[in-house]
Structures are given as C-alpha cells and as structure tokens.
Amino acid sequence: MVSLKFVVSCAGLVVYVAHKTILKGASLGTLGLLWFLLLAAPWVLRALFRVIIYNNFLSPYRQLPQPSDKAHWFFGHVVHLHNEGMPGTSQLKWLEEHPESSFIRYYGFFRVERLAPRSHAALQTILQTASYTFVKPDLTRKSLALVVGDGLLNAEGDSHKRQRKLLMPAFSFGHIKSLTPVFLEKSLALSKHIAGILDAGAVASDGKVAGPAEKVIDVDPLIHSTTLDVIFKAGFGTEFNALENEDDELVQAYRNVFTVRKITNWLRLEIAMDIFFGPGVIPTKRNKTVKASKRIIEKFATDLIREKQQKQKIASTFGKTASSTDKDILNILIEEGKGAWTEHEIRNNLMTFLAAGHETTSSATMIALYLLSKNPDVQSRLRNEIREHIPEYASYRSGDNTDPLASLTYEQIESMKYLNNVCRESLRLIPPVPVTSRQATEDIMVDGVLVKKGTIIFVVIAAINQLKSFWGDDADKFNPDRFDNLPPDALSPYSFLTFIQGPRSCIGRRFSEIEFKCLLIALVGRFEFAERNPGEDIKVRSAVTTKFVDGLSLKVKFAD
C-alpha cells in the first residue's frame, strides 16, 4: 500500500529544491503544477507499463483465459461488476465461458490482474489444504478493520488458529441449540410488529374497522433490527429492543456503517482513492461517518465487556460460572478463555459478532423473502409445512396471551424438510456474502497453475454456487427440490461456498442457520409476501454483504 504521507513529502521536497534552484521566482501556480505532476507521474508510468507491456508480454498469467467483456483502460473489468444487477453475475458469465479452465484472469482498478478459481481442485487448495498460504489482501483487512477491528474475521496464521480454538466452545452445537428459544422469541416479536402495522391499516374510510389490510412494508429495517436484537440477547445476554428503538444511537451507528450507496462516479473515485492511498485515509464524508460510528460501537463493546467481567467476578465468589448463570456467547467466551484473551481481542471479536452476527442473517432473510415473493407456489408449500407443525399459528393474533412458538423445539425445526431445502436454496442462489478475496504469500502450484506470491484471488461465491457444470442446467433457478436429488458435482463441498470451507469457514454457521429458520417460520407461517410491482427489477449490490439498494418493499398481508 502506498503511503500518502511519504509520496507527498517526496514531491514537496523536490518542488522545494527546484524552487530554490532552477525555478527560483516561479509562481505558486507553476510550483503547484509541478508538485501535482511529480505526485502523479510514478503511478501513471507504472499503470502505462502494466497496461501496454506487462499484462500483454510479461505476466505469468497471460495464457489464462479472459472474459469476453472488454476491460476499461483504467477501471479494468470493475465497470462491469458495478453495473451488474446481481452480485456475481458478470463473474458467473466469465467462468461459464471457460468451463475447462481452473482459473480465469480479469482486471481490477489500474488494470491490476485478478484470478478467479473455478475448479474444485483449485478451490480446495485455496480454501482448505493451503488455506494459510492464502491470506486476506492488505486492502481487504484494512477495510474490515475500519468496522470490526482485528478479531477472528481479520486474523491470519497462528493468531487465527488460536482465536478460533478459543471461540469454539461458544459456538458448539449444544450451546447454539440451547439458544433456540431466544431465536424464536425475537422472531415472534418481529411477527407481532408486522401484525401491528397491518392492524393499524385495517380501518375503513367511514371509521369502522375493516378486514385485515394488505400493506406495502419495507422489511429491510425491521429485519435488521430483529437480528440486532437476537445478537444482543443470544450473543451478549442483554435486551436491546432495536425493533422498537430505531432512533437509538447504537442502531444508527450500525445503519451508518452498513448503509449501501448507489453507484456513482464519485463512489468509483472514492474506491480508487481507498485502493491508492489506503482505506479511510482520505477524509471523505463517508469515512468520517464510519469512524465516528465505530467509536460509538467500540465504547458500547468496551462497557459491555467490563460489565460482564465484573459480573463473573461476583459470580465466582459464590462458586458459580458463566455456564451456570448467563448462557450468552460473550459470557462463555470470557469464561472459557480466561487469561488467554486481552480486552482488546475480546472487544474486536465482540464487534465482529455484532457486525457479522446480524448483518449476514438479516441479508439471508431478506433474500429469502424476496425469492419467496417471486415464487408464491414455493411460499405456499413452505407455509403449509410450518402450519403442520404449528397449527395454532394460523389463527394467532398479537393480543393473544399464548406464545404459539414457545413449544417449538430445535428437533422439530430441523425436521421441517422443505424449510431446510428453501433455506439452502436461497443461500445458494443469492449468498449473503457474494465474494471473498485471498492473496498468495508464496509461489504455489494450484491445479496446474503456478500462482505467484502477491497474486490477488477472488473466490466468487455467488458464481460458484450457480455454475451449471456443478448444479445442472437450472442452476440459475430457485428450486428448493433440487436438494432432494443433487447431481454428483453438486455434492462436493466446493460447489456450495456460502459459508466458505476449510479452517476459515464461518464459525457461526449453526447460529446463523437456526436463527434464519426461526425467522422464516415466524414470518412465512403467518404472513403472505408478494412483489410490490411484479416483474420490477430490484437493485441489489454487494457492500461486504448482499444489500437491497432501496430497501425491500413487499406487499404483506395475513395469510389465509
């Protein structure tokens, strides 16, 4: 990464020397122009060398297949990625163009080469057998650090192995299973909230109570708030009630960090500046907002950790442990890793849970509702299965004193076969995290291709999950039944990469999956979701996770 301070200092020194010697008496305008040219010249020359000579005649990857889409002279193939309707669409097309190749080569900003693996063998080497040889690129780590610090998500090598080992007890099967009532409680709260919105609209023009209304509801902020409430209760053992307190400072801080922005030339310029100078270096409005929001989140995290540690000290005086008091993930993390964690490491992992723990599941839930609204037959079939297990949910109203989901067990949820298929198919077709990147730390042979040290590799999850050679000719269709009879190539763990594979696979997978299922049970079991404008293109973008640019507004009504 180029140091802005170093570059500016060198250019300034040259201008100063010139001003005192050959340009003595020159105007400020002349000196300013010289300073700018000196600042830009090294990268302009380097870019020209790369575009004209290196990429065409010297690159070790010049024999690899390239996309049929033409690369921009400066932005490379990024222009195609920014203009696509769904994350991964362009890379899927490029991978499908070359089914015989283990990699394709395309260009990022400044025409820097990128490799995208396609074969199972290449993916296995990168994600599993040589996973610690391929690390997150410096730009990616610094970008993530702006939001989540240096927790498990950003750790590499021995630090990653150590942190993952310490975190495993908090994410064990038995512990996640014990959190099922929390998932159901918060899911029902969302159901009640939406029911309240529908009931509020059930008044006729003459003032008399009408039948339950159908209303257009933007489910985006509601689902985000609910998954925040889940992670606060299950992850940290505290009630937050973001669903009812959307103006809370912490809720707004997270909204500010994860707000998706429309593609504009200014945004492209900001991205280029982040690549050129480093993430967060240029004091743009966006960077200032993210840093201010992170400070709010860090303060909350620090206060919560110290409160938990104090409670544990008090509990220990009575011979109790975290497992016998609070069941939340943070308590177990502190208790099981006593003496092994620094406060800084705990805070960074807590911030990682806050971000990854609610953002990915909220994205997955919205994607599922979007797909179900476009496939009413699948939605109806799923609702029937849910009601077979919870028949009283069909007639449940918010004012009822009973909780129709209270008796539902983890085993019953897992026995819903079609629900499982719907969740897996939704996660396959539009994964919440569409791409992950790696960089080789040494020269290594990967499925017949010598990958050189420093090479950037993009594992395009959204594309791998839809390759027709893996999933069949209907790979681009929403078909939950496919999981009843998968083709042989789809059975490979490297055909379904939503949770990655190998040592860096998602540690919170079980947490996310059961929470996801509980949310769909509460929502689809009670409501019918339909497209606001059938056939309308919904703008979707990748901002770490898959995001609906303008929210997700759906027609919602009580299901019959």
Side-chain angles (χ1 to χ4, degrees), residues 540-559:
V540 180
R541 261 198 62 215
S542 171
V544 181
T545 57
T546 302
K547 308 280 286 186
F548 292 87
V549 176
D550 299 312
L552 181 60
S553 295
L554 300 173
K555 291 180 180 178
V556 185
K557 66 178 182 180
F558 288 107

Side-chain angles (χ1 to χ4, degrees), residues 113-380:
E113 291 176 306
R114 295 174 172 179
L115 299 187
R118 187 191 196 284
S119 68
H120 284 156
L123 291 165
Q124 182 175 7
T125 299
I126 294 165
L127 299 175
Q128 178 73 49
T129 56
S131 62
Y132 288 110
T133 299
F134 293 93
V135 300
K136 281 187 171 63
D138 191 54
L139 177 66
T140 302
R141 288 193 301 104
K142 288 183 177 180
S143 298
L144 288 172
L146 289 175
V147 181
V148 301
D150 296 314
L152 182 69
L153 190 62
N154 245 359
E156 296 291 349
D158 290 339
S159 175
H160 179 269
K161 295 175 185 177
R162 171 179 160 274
Q163 290 190 48
R164 190 174 178 98
K165 181 179 180 180
L166 289 171
L167 287 167
M168 286 304 292
F171 289 94
S172 67
F173 170 76
H175 182 238
I176 298 304
K177 178 180 174 181
S178 72
L179 294 174
T180 302
V182 176
F183 301 145
L184 290 169
E185 173 196 341
K186 298 305 179 184
S187 298
L188 182 63
L190 174 60
S191 171
K192 290 179 178 180
H193 188 89
I194 293 175
I197 295 173
L198 295 180
D199 287 335
V203 179
S205 57
D206 59 2
K208 296 181 180 178
V209 176
E214 176 183 77
K215 297 190 71 175
V216 173
I217 299 175
D218 182 4
V219 298
D220 186 326
L222 303 182
I223 292 173
H224 266 97
S225 294
T226 301
T227 53
L228 259 180
D229 284 341
V230 169
I231 198 64
F232 269 79
K233 183 71 178 288
F236 315 128
T238 182
E239 293 288 352
F240 187 52
N241 201 18
L243 191 59
E244 303 296 338
N245 297 301
E246 293 188 8
D247 294 330
D248 183 89
E249 183 182 47
L250 188 59
V251 175
Q252 290 303 312
Y254 266 94
R255 295 263 166 84
N256 290 336
V257 169
F258 291 103
T259 296
V260 67
R261 301 165 65 195
K262 295 182 180 180
I263 294 294
T264 62
N265 288 333
W266 174 249
L267 178 59
R268 290 191 179 103
L269 179 60
E270 283 192 56
I271 294 172
M273 287 191 295
D274 278 349
I275 294 173
F276 195 72
F277 298 116
V281 172
I282 303 299
T284 61
K285 181 179 178 180
R286 168 66 177 168
N287 285 336
K288 289 179 181 178
T289 300
V290 168
K291 288 181 179 179
S293 298
K294 185 187 176 184
R295 284 194 293 270
I296 293 171
I297 299 167
E298 281 183 328
K299 182 181 183 304
F300 160 79
T302 301
D303 292 345
L304 183 58
I305 290 166
R306 290 174 180 173
E307 178 186 335
K308 288 286 184 182
Q309 289 173 329
Q310 184 61 30
K311 283 185 177 179
Q312 286 200 2
K313 286 180 181 178
I314 295 172
S316 65
T317 62
F318 295 97
K320 296 182 179 180
T321 63
S323 59
S324 63
T325 54
D326 296 330
K327 298 284 187 179
D328 58 273
I329 288 173
L330 179 58
N331 241 327
I332 293 178
L333 184 154
I334 295 173
E335 177 67 25
E336 296 288 337
K338 190 171 290 183
W341 294 108
T342 65
E343 183 179 281
H344 176 76
E345 288 177 322
I346 297 174
R347 185 179 68 233
N348 283 336
N349 277 296
L350 185 149
M351 292 177 67
T352 299
F353 301 155
L354 274 171
H358 95 276
E359 186 66 21
T360 53
T361 309
S362 64
S363 177
T365 305
M366 283 187 285
I367 289 166
L369 292 180
Y370 166 70
L371 292 170
L372 290 170
S373 72
K374 296 174 71 68
N375 296 271
D377 54 330
V378 174
Q379 184 180 164
S380 178

Side-chain angles (χ1 to χ4, degrees), residues 292-502:
S293 298
K294 185 187 176 184
R295 284 194 293 270
I296 293 171
I297 299 167
E298 281 183 328
K299 182 181 183 304
F300 160 79
T302 301
D303 292 345
L304 183 58
I305 290 166
R306 290 174 180 173
E307 178 186 335
K308 288 286 184 182
Q309 289 173 329
Q310 184 61 30
K311 283 185 177 179
Q312 286 200 2
K313 286 180 181 178
I314 295 172
S316 65
T317 62
F318 295 97
K320 296 182 179 180
T321 63
S323 59
S324 63
T325 54
D326 296 330
K327 298 284 187 179
D328 58 273
I329 288 173
L330 179 58
N331 241 327
I332 293 178
L333 184 154
I334 295 173
E335 177 67 25
E336 296 288 337
K338 190 171 290 183
W341 294 108
T342 65
E343 183 179 281
H344 176 76
E345 288 177 322
I346 297 174
R347 185 179 68 233
N348 283 336
N349 277 296
L350 185 149
M351 292 177 67
T352 299
F353 301 155
L354 274 171
H358 95 276
E359 186 66 21
T360 53
T361 309
S362 64
S363 177
T365 305
M366 283 187 285
I367 289 166
L369 292 180
Y370 166 70
L371 292 170
L372 290 170
S373 72
K374 296 174 71 68
N375 296 271
D377 54 330
V378 174
Q379 184 180 164
S380 178
R381 184 175 164 189
L382 174 59
R383 184 177 300 109
N384 289 339
E385 181 184 67
I386 292 169
R387 289 182 173 181
E388 284 177 8
H389 287 80
I390 324 169
E392 63 273 22
Y393 199 34
S395 58
Y396 173 73
R397 286 293 177 265
S398 298
D400 296 349
N401 293 324
T402 58
D403 180 350
L405 304 183
S407 61
L408 199 59
T409 65
Y410 174 87
E411 287 75 18
Q412 287 175 307
I413 294 170
E414 289 298 284
S415 71
M416 297 186 196
K417 182 179 178 182
Y418 197 63
L419 171 66
N420 188 51
N421 284 359
V422 167
C423 290
R424 293 169 72 189
E425 178 68 347
S426 177
L427 291 168
R428 179 197 71 86
L429 191 62
I430 310 178
V433 179
V435 64
T436 187
S437 56
R438 297 288 187 268
Q439 186 170 23
T441 58
E442 61 185 52
D443 292 357
I444 181 172
M445 189 65 70
V446 181
D447 195 18
V449 175
L450 179 60
V451 177
K452 304 292 285 184
K453 179 181 178 179
T455 300
I456 302 292
I457 292 176
F458 278 77
V459 179
V460 190
I461 298 165
I464 297 297
N465 282 7
Q466 284 195 51
L467 285 176
K468 291 183 179 179
S469 59
F470 295 169
W471 295 93
D473 292 337
D474 68 339
D476 60 336
K477 302 294 189 298
F478 183 59
N479 175 23
D481 288 325
R482 77 171 69 250
F483 284 93
D484 291 333
N485 186 25
L486 288 173
D489 282 337
L491 294 172
S492 166
Y494 303 101
S495 293
F496 183 85
L497 294 180
T498 300
F499 296 98
I500 310 296
Q501 297 294 338

